[in-house]
Amino acid sequence: MANSTPALIVVTKFHPAADVRTLHGLGVRDVGENRCQEAAAKAGDLAGLEPALRWHFIGQLQTNKAKSVAAYAHAVHSVDRPALATALNKAMVAEQETRGREPLGVFLQVSLDLDLPATAAADAPAGRGGVAPADLLGLAELVESLPGLRLRGLMAVAPLGGNPDAAFERLAGLSATVRESFPHAGELSAGMSGDLEAAVRWGATHLRVGSDVLGPRPAVR
Ligand SMILES: *Cc1c(COP(=O)(O)O)cnc(C)c1O
């Protein structure tokens, strides 16, 4: 388990770019977004900030948006199927050739919804997303083989209404399994405002916190 303090990613979805600028002024460097268009617009608005913000994409992502996300993202926490990994890789290889970028950091999102059938449709993930635990190692192997991506670890959202400790215990076990094959991929993106204490107990290295930092989100547009 990680003993060091987890990194805080402030989830700024629905909040305007001006608020993200304020956070940057307060020292925040890592921000999380879950909608492609909104994130691209804000990243564009704030591209001149020094030191640069690191944009973490944490939402469900269609393959046809991979190129847009690769242009600004520091990491994608929601890679949950082979088609998305290959689309992000293709976009990143182009970024590397034209702009000399580092490989894109990737967290594999695991589904911890035990009772739901796996809904890994080819390109329209249902529910909260996430690869089924049985398919996790295969996806990790694929990401490892792609030069534009760097496997960092796992991400999960605790099932609604479930016990977050049980969910994150399971995630910690899956992380240990992944580390047996990929020792460098031990990071864990887990914990939001409602369950971050449980996530820290189970070794979270990255917390994705929105409302506990920024208050309630503005109404959905
Ligand atoms: C919105 C969101 C968060 C932050 O949620 P809060 O409850 O506001 O802390 C974290 N992770 C994901 C995947 C999200 O979509």
Side-chain angles (χ1 to χ4, degrees), residues 20 28-29 34 37 57 65 81 113 132 139-140 150 155 159 165 167 176-177 192 211 213 220:
V20 185
V28 170
R29 295 295 174 261
N34 74 338
Q37 252 186 310
F57 195 84
K65 302 281 166 47
R81 60 202 191 282
D113 290 307
L139 186 59
R150 183 168 70 85
M155 179 276 223
D165 273 292
T177 305
M192 354 206 303
S211 37
V213 173
V220 184

Side-chain angles (χ1 to χ4, degrees), residues 11-101:
V11 177
T12 48
K13 63 190 185 194
F14 303 173
H15 293 280
D19 290 4
V20 185
R21 187 185 295 278
T22 302
L23 288 169
H24 182 271
L26 296 169
V28 170
R29 295 295 174 261
D30 291 276
V31 292
E33 291 281 338
N34 74 338
R35 298 194 302 184
C36 194
Q37 252 186 310
E38 178 185 341
K42 284 186 216 170
D45 280 356
L46 301 174
L49 290 179
E50 289 286 342
L53 283 165
R54 290 183 290 262
W55 296 89
H56 297 256
F57 195 84
I58 62 172
Q60 290 183 30
L61 185 54
Q62 290 179 312
T63 52
N64 62 6
K65 302 281 166 47
K67 196 171 167 212
S68 159
V69 169
Y72 61 79
H74 166 79
V76 175
H77 293 230
S78 44
V79 174
D80 62 357
R81 60 202 191 282
L84 180 56
T86 50
L88 285 168
N89 177 63
K90 187 171 168 224
M92 275 315 293
V93 167
E95 286 278 323
Q96 288 175 304
E97 280 165 7
T98 53
R99 299 171 53 201
R101 294 259 310 268

